[in-house]
Amino acid sequence: RETPERGTVFAMLCARRRLSTWALEGIGKPNFDASKVFLAPSASVVGDVTIGNGSSVWYNCVLRGDVNEIRIGEETNIQDGTVIHVAKHNAQGTSLPTVIGNQVTVGHMALLHACTLEDLSFVGMGAVVMDGCVMSRGSMLAAGSLLTPGKTIPSGEIWGGRPARYMRDLTEKEKDFLPVSAKKYAELASVHMNNLVKTA
């Protein structure tokens, strides 16, 4: 039995992935290169959302850019079941988009709301990052933690708990792992992008 060439399969997958994206009239539509971003078929990306090349949005994620924008940089991974939303503004009138930098790792089932994650930051599985929070470059939030509104994790620190507080400085080995984590997920995303086949 003949099988479609890889390029044909890839084009079909790109078309199917676009079905997971939705424009909002008067607000915007998702903006990304489908040949360079892995968007899992069960993910939903709605409204004003931009995703950089080499990034991945995994199964059952929801990204909703309606009352503000979502911006995701390059080689960032948004792992399975994560929800990302925005806020129009805070009580002082400051706009609250969600902005995620390059080579950021967001673990499974995280919740990000109207926050900023700078390059090489790391959000553990099931963690919550609330309105106005900033995770500085190369910072880490432990799995299951709650970063309450307006908090900033300085560069090179790991915070944890509910509410999250400073735990310790990252070791040099942990710092070195941050770009490795992003690269490994980019490689894994390529495997899914090029080999995912619907069976039923």
Side-chain angles (χ1 to χ4, degrees):
R1 180 176 129 185
E2 292 186 4
T3 58
E5 294 182 4
R6 179 171 294 245
T8 303
V9 172
F10 181 70
M12 293 167 59
L13 289 172
C14 286
R16 186 159 66 240
R17 283 200 299 279
R18 280 196 288 272
L19 296 177
S20 300
T21 67
W22 304 88
L24 285 171
E25 292 184 2
I27 293 175
K29 64 180 181 180
N31 179 25
F32 64 96
D33 185 340
S35 69
K36 297 179 180 178
V37 171
F38 173 61
L39 176 61
S42 55
S44 294
V45 180
V46 181
D48 189 359
V49 180
T50 298
I51 306 171
N53 292 341
S55 289
S56 54
V57 179
W58 291 79
Y59 304 93
N60 296 325
C61 289
V62 176
L63 282 61
R64 179 157 56 96
D66 45 13
V67 297
N68 217 319
E69 64 184 7
I70 297 172
R71 296 289 178 264
I72 299 172
E74 298 184 352
E75 289 193 334
T76 285
N77 57 90
I78 310 298
Q79 296 175 22
D80 313 69
T82 291
V83 174
I84 304 177
H85 193 222
V86 294
K88 190 170 185 179
H89 52 70
N90 61 15
Q92 291 73 42
T94 302
S95 180
L96 289 176
T98 293
V99 179
I100 301 173
N102 301 323
Q103 294 193 316
V104 174
T105 293
V106 179
H108 311 289
M109 300 291 288
L111 171 59
L112 310 179
H113 199 270
C115 57
T116 297
L117 277 56
E118 296 182 354
D119 297 351
L120 293 168
S121 53
F122 187 105
V123 178
M125 293 183 289
V128 178
V129 184
M130 293 297 295
D131 298 39
C133 288
V134 176
M135 290 188 62
S136 302
R137 179 185 176 91
S139 63
M140 185 177 291
L141 182 63
S145 298
L146 170 64
L147 193 62
T148 51
K151 293 293 191 299
T152 295
I153 303 181
S155 180
E157 293 185 2
I158 179 170
W159 286 33
R162 300 180 74 90
R165 293 184 172 86
Y166 170 79
M167 296 174 63
R168 59 176 174 82
D169 290 348
L170 293 173
T171 65
E172 290 303 315
K173 186 175 181 179
E174 288 168 336
K175 291 177 183 178
D176 291 342
F177 171 73
L178 296 175
V180 173
S181 173
K183 289 285 187 184
K184 290 294 186 183
Y185 248 92
E187 292 170 4
L188 184 59
S190 180
V191 172
H192 283 250
M193 178 181 288
N194 292 310
N195 297 286
L196 190 65
V197 177
K198 196 173 189 306
T199 59

Coordinates of all heavy atoms in Angstrom, one line a residue, residues 73-106:
G73 N 7.9 33.8 22.7 CA 9.1 33.9 21.9 C 9.5 32.6 21.2 O 8.7 31.8 21.0
E74 N 10.8 32.5 20.9 CA 11.3 31.3 20.2 C 11.8 30.2 21.1 O 12.3 30.5 22.2 CB 12.4 31.8 19.2 CG 11.9 32.8 18.2 CD 13.0 33.2 17.2 OE1 14.2 32.8 17.4 OE2 12.7 33.9 16.2
E75 N 11.6 29.0 20.6 CA 12.1 27.8 21.3 C 11.5 27.7 22.8 O 12.2 27.2 23.7 CB 13.6 27.7 21.3 CG 14.2 27.4 20.0 CD 15.7 27.0 20.1 OE1 16.4 27.4 21.0 OE2 16.1 26.3 19.1
T76 N 10.3 28.1 22.9 CA 9.6 28.0 24.2 C 8.6 26.9 24.2 O 8.0 26.7 23.1 CB 8.9 29.4 24.5 OG1 9.9 30.3 24.9 CG2 7.9 29.2 25.6
N77 N 8.5 26.1 25.2 CA 7.6 25.0 25.2 C 6.5 25.2 26.3 O 6.8 25.5 27.4 CB 8.3 23.7 25.4 CG 9.1 23.6 26.7 OD1 8.6 23.2 27.8 ND2 10.4 24.0 26.6
I78 N 5.2 25.1 25.8 CA 4.1 25.2 26.7 C 3.5 23.8 26.8 O 2.8 23.3 25.8 CB 3.0 26.2 26.1 CG1 3.7 27.6 25.7 CG2 1.9 26.4 27.0 CD1 4.3 28.3 26.8
Q79 N 3.7 23.2 27.9 CA 3.4 21.7 28.0 C 2.0 21.4 28.2 O 1.2 22.3 28.6 CB 4.4 21.1 29.0 CG 5.8 21.2 28.6 CD 6.8 20.7 29.7 OE1 6.4 19.9 30.6 NE2 8.0 21.1 29.7
D80 N 1.6 20.2 28.1 CA 0.3 19.7 28.0 C -0.6 20.2 29.2 O -0.2 20.2 30.3 CB 0.3 18.1 28.1 CG 1.3 17.5 27.2 OD1 2.5 17.7 27.4 OD2 0.9 16.9 26.2
G81 N -1.8 20.6 28.8 CA -2.8 21.0 29.7 C -2.7 22.4 30.3 O -3.4 22.8 31.2
T82 N -1.7 23.2 29.9 CA -1.5 24.5 30.4 C -2.5 25.5 29.9 O -3.0 25.4 28.7 CB -0.1 25.0 30.0 OG1 0.9 24.3 30.7 CG2 0.1 26.5 30.3
V83 N -2.9 26.4 30.7 CA -3.9 27.5 30.4 C -3.2 28.8 30.5 O -2.5 29.1 31.5 CB -5.1 27.5 31.3 CG1 -6.0 28.7 31.0 CG2 -5.9 26.2 31.1
I84 N -3.3 29.6 29.4 CA -2.7 31.0 29.4 C -3.8 32.0 29.0 O -4.4 31.8 28.0 CB -1.5 31.1 28.4 CG1 -0.4 30.0 28.7 CG2 -0.9 32.5 28.4 CD1 0.7 30.1 27.7
H85 N -3.9 33.0 29.9 CA -4.9 34.0 29.6 C -4.3 35.4 30.0 O -3.1 35.5 30.3 CB -6.2 33.8 30.4 CG -7.4 34.6 30.0 ND1 -8.2 35.2 30.9 CD2 -7.8 35.0 28.8 CE1 -9.1 35.9 30.2 NE2 -8.9 35.8 28.9
V86 N -5.1 36.4 29.9 CA -4.6 37.8 30.0 C -5.7 38.6 30.8 O -6.7 38.1 31.2 CB -4.5 38.5 28.6 CG1 -3.4 37.8 27.8 CG2 -5.8 38.4 27.8
A87 N -5.3 39.8 31.1 CA -6.3 40.8 31.7 C -6.2 42.1 31.0 O -5.1 42.4 30.4 CB -5.9 41.0 33.2
K88 N -7.3 42.8 30.9 CA -7.3 44.1 30.2 C -6.3 45.1 30.9 O -5.5 45.7 30.3 CB -8.7 44.6 30.1 CG -8.8 45.8 29.2 CD -10.2 46.2 29.0 CE -10.3 47.3 27.9 NZ -11.8 47.7 27.7
H89 N -6.5 45.2 32.2 CA -5.6 46.1 33.0 C -5.8 45.8 34.5 O -6.8 45.1 34.9 CB -5.9 47.6 32.7 CG -7.3 48.0 32.8 ND1 -8.0 48.1 34.0 CD2 -8.2 48.3 31.8 CE1 -9.2 48.4 33.8 NE2 -9.4 48.6 32.4
N90 N -5.0 46.4 35.3 CA -5.1 46.2 36.7 C -5.9 47.5 37.3 O -6.4 48.3 36.5 CB -3.8 46.1 37.4 CG -2.8 47.2 37.2 OD1 -3.2 48.3 36.8 ND2 -1.6 47.0 37.5
A91 N -6.0 47.6 38.6 CA -6.8 48.6 39.2 C -6.2 50.0 38.9 O -6.9 51.0 39.0 CB -6.8 48.4 40.7
Q92 N -4.9 50.0 38.6 CA -4.2 51.3 38.3 C -4.3 51.6 36.8 O -3.7 52.7 36.4 CB -2.7 51.3 38.7 CG -2.5 51.3 40.2 CD -2.9 49.9 40.9 OE1 -2.6 48.9 40.3 NE2 -3.6 50.0 42.0
G93 N -4.9 50.8 36.0 CA -5.0 51.0 34.6 C -3.9 50.5 33.8 O -3.8 50.8 32.5
T94 N -2.9 49.8 34.3 CA -1.8 49.2 33.6 C -2.2 48.0 32.8 O -2.9 47.1 33.3 CB -0.7 48.9 34.5 OG1 -0.3 50.0 35.3 CG2 0.5 48.3 33.8
S95 N -1.9 48.0 31.5 CA -2.3 46.9 30.6 C -1.6 45.6 31.1 O -0.4 45.7 31.5 CB -1.8 47.2 29.2 OG -2.2 46.2 28.3
L96 N -2.3 44.5 31.0 CA -1.7 43.2 31.5 C -1.8 42.1 30.5 O -2.7 41.2 30.6 CB -2.5 42.8 32.8 CG -2.2 43.6 34.1 CD1 -3.1 43.2 35.2 CD2 -0.7 43.6 34.4
P97 N -1.0 42.2 29.5 CA -0.9 41.0 28.6 C -0.1 39.9 29.2 O 0.4 40.1 30.4 CB -0.1 41.6 27.4 CG 0.8 42.6 28.1 CD 0.0 43.2 29.2
T98 N 0.0 38.8 28.5 CA 0.9 37.8 29.0 C 2.1 37.7 27.9 O 1.8 37.5 26.8 CB 0.3 36.4 29.1 OG1 -0.7 36.4 30.1 CG2 1.3 35.3 29.4
V99 N 3.3 37.9 28.4 CA 4.5 38.0 27.6 C 5.5 36.9 28.0 O 5.9 36.9 29.2 CB 5.1 39.3 27.6 CG1 6.4 39.4 26.7 CG2 4.1 40.4 27.2
I100 N 5.8 36.0 27.2 CA 6.7 34.9 27.5 C 7.9 35.0 26.5 O 7.7 35.1 25.3 CB 6.0 33.5 27.3 CG1 4.8 33.5 28.2 CG2 6.9 32.4 27.6 CD1 3.9 32.3 28.0
G101 N 9.1 34.9 27.0 CA 10.3 35.1 26.3 C 10.8 33.9 25.5 O 10.0 33.0 25.2
N102 N 12.0 33.9 25.2 CA 12.7 32.8 24.4 C 13.2 31.7 25.4 O 13.6 32.0 26.5 CB 13.9 33.3 23.6 CG 13.5 34.4 22.6 OD1 12.4 34.4 22.0 ND2 14.3 35.4 22.5
Q103 N 13.1 30.5 24.9 CA 13.6 29.3 25.6 C 13.1 29.2 27.0 O 13.8 28.9 28.0 CB 15.2 29.3 25.6 CG 15.8 29.2 24.3 CD 17.3 28.9 24.3 OE1 18.0 29.5 25.1 NE2 17.7 27.9 23.5
V104 N 11.8 29.5 27.1 CA 11.1 29.3 28.4 C 10.5 27.9 28.5 O 9.9 27.4 27.5 CB 10.0 30.4 28.6 CG1 9.2 30.2 29.8 CG2 10.6 31.8 28.6
T105 N 10.5 27.3 29.6 CA 9.9 26.0 29.8 C 8.7 26.2 30.8 O 8.9 26.7 31.9 CB 10.8 25.0 30.4 OG1 11.8 24.6 29.4 CG2 10.1 23.7 30.8
V106 N 7.5 25.8 30.3 CA 6.3 25.8 31.1 C 5.8 24.4 31.3 O 5.3 23.8 30.3 CB 5.2 26.7 30.5 CG1 4.0 26.8 31.3 CG2 5.7 28.2 30.3

